[in-house]
Amino acid sequence: MMAININRRGFCKSVLAFASIASLPACETLNSKYYASAFNTSDDKHFIAKLDESGNIVTKVKIPYRGHDLAQVPNNKNRVFAFARRPGNMIFDIDLSSGILRQTIKSQEGRHFYGHGVFSPDGKWLFTPENDFENQKGKIVVRDVATLAIIAEYDSGGIGPHQCALLSDGITLVIANGGIGTHPNTPRKKLNLDTMKPNLAYLNTRTGQILNQFYAPDNQLSIRHLAVSKQDKVVIGMQYQGAKNERVPLIYTQHGNSELKACDVEQNTWQKMQQYTASVCIDSALNIAAVSAPRGDIVSYWDLNTDKFIGLYNNRDCAGVALADDGFMLSNGKGVIKRIAALSQKPLEQRVTSGIKWDNHMLALV
Amino acid sequence: MKNLALIIAMSFALAACGGSGSAKTPDTGGNAGGGTGGTTEPVKKTQDEAMTAILTSLADNYILPAYSELANKADEFEIASIDFCSNSGANTAELTNLQSSWSALSLAWQHSKPIKLGPVTESFFNYRLQIWPDTNSAISRGVATLLAAEPLNEEVVALTQDGAQGIPALEYLLYPELATNGLLVAGDKAKRCEAVMSIAANVKTITSKINDKWLQSSRDDYINGTGQFSCSDCAGTPEQAILEKQLTNWFELMEVIVDNKINKALGTDLPGRVDYAEQYRSETSFENIKANIKGLELVYLGVNDYGFDDYLAEINENEDLDITIKSAFSNVYVALDGLTVSLEQAITSEEARAQLVEITTKITALRTIMASDFVQVTGFNPGFNSNDGD
């Protein structure tokens, strides 16, 4: 498999180098892998980009506000929804092939998004974590993708639902209820650090029933980002809101009915992360996870068979992590995109785009 | 070779003057700005040379003097604590002297806060020197552990949780909330004195280690992008990476001052939340803010040598922006000068609260100029995702 990919990459490069008339869409037909991410420029303009696996920007689309995460419309490699960063109230529907902003979707009055969302596998429904900020309640809002009409709204099971993902059944939504109450009038202010109760909630998207909830072992461990393996094991990246000198585990797993389990590593590694993690990505084939920690300038790797630490890769101001064919794609706030081998963490390719800052998350287009 | 004593004296003369900001003396020679005296035309620096010049200036004129001063103040405080505690007839005046020595130590620490790179981040030194905010009563719990410890010495302190180890623990003992726990009158005043001396010895050891490491290797590593300052994943040069990290810390401290040091204590209503002030027991929280701002200004200026201001003028040829930034600093100092009471008192009156708000407004304005214009003009790219908060 790896050899095929290398040959295909080599083919694309040779076409570009020697034929010069070759177009990237032509390479796309050869099953190239592409990625998407929000980025910002040093003059504070905001874009969504489609990237090739070398980190080159293939298409970029300007958006009016800072994006956070993206979700790909199923079975359409060129259409993504970009979610405005908290407390943004917009979703940007982007066509990556023509480079246009198709439409902007606004949240209802009294709600804002948290920068994340996910489509049902058939692409009919969109699920977004939202803040009912006057009532300080987390919501999961269901929209009909065809009409964008809201067809249901469920309690998320907590305050501050951040990232969510569907299990392999396509019905059960696992939600990172971060626990932190905020209000758009004071957008970055945390209103309830003393009373927050972060939890991981499982929700039946057909009925709105909370099926199960797992609470963080420390009420100031905010559950923020997650990824789900093909075996439905959830890997969770935490952000600790307690005393700055405390060294607490920040990466947990949860599977089935078992409680949250802290991944295993020496305390110094937790300290390096400075109580803050960002993106989580799983390679289900190798059963390993990669988690970025931008304050510590590191991406950590974890063996999901044992929930033990594998290693670290230094990546300044790191942000997005996405699955590549032969490892992970990493982005950072310095305009760098790298492809890193999954097990050896050996850098395979790097592209620096000066003057831009890649935002928190990166999406592999499939 | 620079005269270190002179540099230290100069740095702290600047730090002590307060209120009116720092003005660089005109460049009459030396390497700053490339001038060598006489009629020789200054040679313009390349961008890389300019970055190295800033790092050299920061290392020699700010970082080394700041940590040297911190170690000296820790040494002086330890001696003062031994003198006080060995005097069974110590009186109020002698306690005041000990408190003054602690204040000097605390200010030296606050002056160094913008650095937050290198040895101070090793072995949890920064947290051992100061936990703040103390969200889980680490200070009171730590001191209680020490008061129950037998024997109690520096080694015991170093093995106790961070809350027991640093400057806040000393403040807790020197400025007790209950008068009956004072060092002159407490029933267990001998034990409290033992705790003060043991913590003082621990602080001295930590600050000496930080200072020694900078003198031994960190200074050169900082300037050259080697050792702990090397960068395997730099998009630009290692020198640029270090400066960007330094700027990231600069922005972070700005946010901490506004969000944590002032706004948290202000709260939403009168009388504010005094227990959220950084050093409410000694009522020195506002002095900390002033020391922080002075340190932040010195980072921008490269003290009295080549700084980001010179970089703007020489590399970006944008002296107007430098003037704007210096003006914004001046506005901050004017606002700081407008508050004549402690932060702990200020939060309890409408008029003084308005002045605190004015201070945050001016600091935010400065930060905004740096985060937008300065970053765009220089192309420096401080941490983006690391300050994201999502």
Side-chain angles (χ1 to χ4, degrees), chain A residues 53-85:
Chain A
E53 58 193 342
S54 296
N56 300 301
I57 296 176
V58 178
T59 316
K60 64 179 179 183
V61 180
K62 195 165 185 289
I63 55 174
Y65 298 100
R66 187 174 162 187
H68 190 67
D69 197 10
L70 307 107
Q72 181 192 338
V73 175
N75 304 315
N76 187 340
K77 278 189 171 185
N78 280 307
R79 189 176 172 200
V80 295
F81 279 21
F83 303 94
R85 178 180 187 243

Side-chain angles (χ1 to χ4, degrees), chain B residues 87-136:
Chain B
N87 179 2
S88 57
N91 58 29
T92 303
E94 282 151 339
L95 177 59
T96 301
N97 285 341
L98 182 63
Q99 289 170 330
S100 297
S101 181
W102 172 85
S103 291
L105 166 64
S106 173
L107 274 180
W109 167 243
Q110 294 293 334
H111 177 71
S112 75
K113 291 284 273 186
I115 303 169
K116 206 185 165 195
L117 285 173
V120 75
T121 63
E122 296 170 5
S123 305
F124 313 114
F125 284 152
N126 48 348
Y127 297 120
R128 291 164 68 186
L129 285 174
Q130 189 196 17
I131 286 184
W132 189 78
D134 180 17
T135 53
N136 60 357

Side-chain angles (χ1 to χ4, degrees), chain B residues 326-373:
Chain B
K326 284 173 177 162
S327 171
F329 263 115
S330 294
N331 292 340
V332 172
Y333 283 116
V334 168
L336 289 170
D337 285 348
L339 189 70
T340 54
V341 296
S342 71
L343 182 141
E344 291 74 14
Q345 290 174 283
I347 59 175
T348 63
S349 85
E350 287 290 6
E351 190 181 347
R353 286 170 68 89
Q355 190 59 33
L356 282 172
V357 171
E358 173 72 1
I359 291 168
T360 64
T361 303
K362 298 305 180 192
I363 293 174
T364 302
L366 168 60
R367 191 191 180 283
T368 301
I369 294 167
M370 290 293 286
S372 54
D373 297 21

Side-chain angles (χ1 to χ4, degrees), chain B residues 72-86:
Chain B
N72 285 342
K73 293 302 177 193
D75 190 33
E76 288 172 15
F77 179 77
E78 190 198 19
I79 292 167
S81 71
I82 293 167
D83 287 349
F84 176 86
C85 292
S86 61

Side-chain angles (χ1 to χ4, degrees), chain B residues 38-307:
Chain B
T39 56
T40 309
E41 199 56 30
V43 178
K44 191 179 176 189
K45 287 181 173 61
T46 65
Q47 189 175 31
D48 287 350
E49 286 170 346
M51 288 188 200
T52 302
I54 299 174
L55 290 170
T56 305
S57 181
L58 286 177
D60 290 340
N61 303 332
Y62 173 54
I63 298 173
L64 294 186
Y67 284 132
S68 171
E69 184 69 1
L70 178 62
N72 285 342
K73 293 302 177 193
D75 190 33
E76 288 172 15
F77 179 77
E78 190 198 19
I79 292 167
S81 71
I82 293 167
D83 287 349
F84 176 86
C85 292
S86 61
N87 179 2
S88 57
N91 58 29
T92 303
E94 282 151 339
L95 177 59
T96 301
N97 285 341
L98 182 63
Q99 289 170 330
S100 297
S101 181
W102 172 85
S103 291
L105 166 64
S106 173
L107 274 180
W109 167 243
Q110 294 293 334
H111 177 71
S112 75
K113 291 284 273 186
I115 303 169
K116 206 185 165 195
L117 285 173
V120 75
T121 63
E122 296 170 5
S123 305
F124 313 114
F125 284 152
N126 48 348
Y127 297 120
R128 291 164 68 186
L129 285 174
Q130 189 196 17
I131 286 184
W132 189 78
D134 180 17
T135 53
N136 60 357
S137 306
I139 312 296
S140 58
R141 288 188 293 109
V143 171
T145 301
L146 296 185
L147 294 178
E150 194 60 55
L152 175 56
N153 51 42
E154 180 189 351
E155 288 71 32
V156 170
V157 172
L159 293 171
T160 306
Q161 52 106 330
D162 298 351
Q165 292 202 29
I167 293 163
L170 291 170
E171 184 197 27
Y172 185 88
L173 288 159
L174 291 170
Y175 300 88
E177 289 175 53
L178 286 175
T180 51
N181 286 333
L183 286 178
L184 294 175
V185 298
D188 59 349
K189 65 181 183 182
K191 190 71 181 180
R192 287 175 180 271
C193 244
E194 212 179 330
V196 169
M197 288 188 290
S198 303
I199 299 167
N202 181 62
V203 169
K204 180 188 167 186
T205 298
I206 291 173
T207 55
S208 296
K209 283 181 179 174
I210 295 168
N211 187 43
D212 290 348
K213 183 85 184 285
W214 271 101
L215 290 169
Q216 287 158 7
S217 59
S218 295
R219 177 218 176 253
D220 292 345
D221 287 339
Y222 180 82
I223 293 169
N224 300 317
T226 53
Q228 67 183 138
F229 292 102
S230 63
C231 178
S232 60
D233 61 322
C234 291
T237 61
E239 290 80 4
Q240 182 178 342
I242 298 165
L243 286 175
E244 288 178 347
K245 197 76 180 171
Q246 196 74 77
L247 284 168
T248 302
N249 294 344
W250 195 99
F251 284 113
E252 183 186 313
L253 182 54
M254 277 279 185
E255 284 182 13
V256 167
I257 292 169
V258 171
D259 294 346
N260 295 2
K261 295 195 178 198
I262 299 178
N263 284 342
K264 282 259 185 181
L266 269 174
T268 50
D269 302 303
L270 281 167
R273 289 293 303 264
V274 71
D275 53 329
Y276 285 178
E278 187 175 19
Q279 287 180 171
Y280 66 90
R281 295 180 178 95
S282 57
E283 294 199 20
T284 52
S285 303
F286 191 52
E287 300 309 311
N288 290 358
I289 292 168
K290 288 195 277 191
N292 295 158
I293 294 291
K294 180 59 63 179
L296 291 164
E297 187 186 27
L298 294 179
V299 169
Y300 176 71
L301 295 173
V303 188
N304 210 17
D305 206 326
Y306 201 89

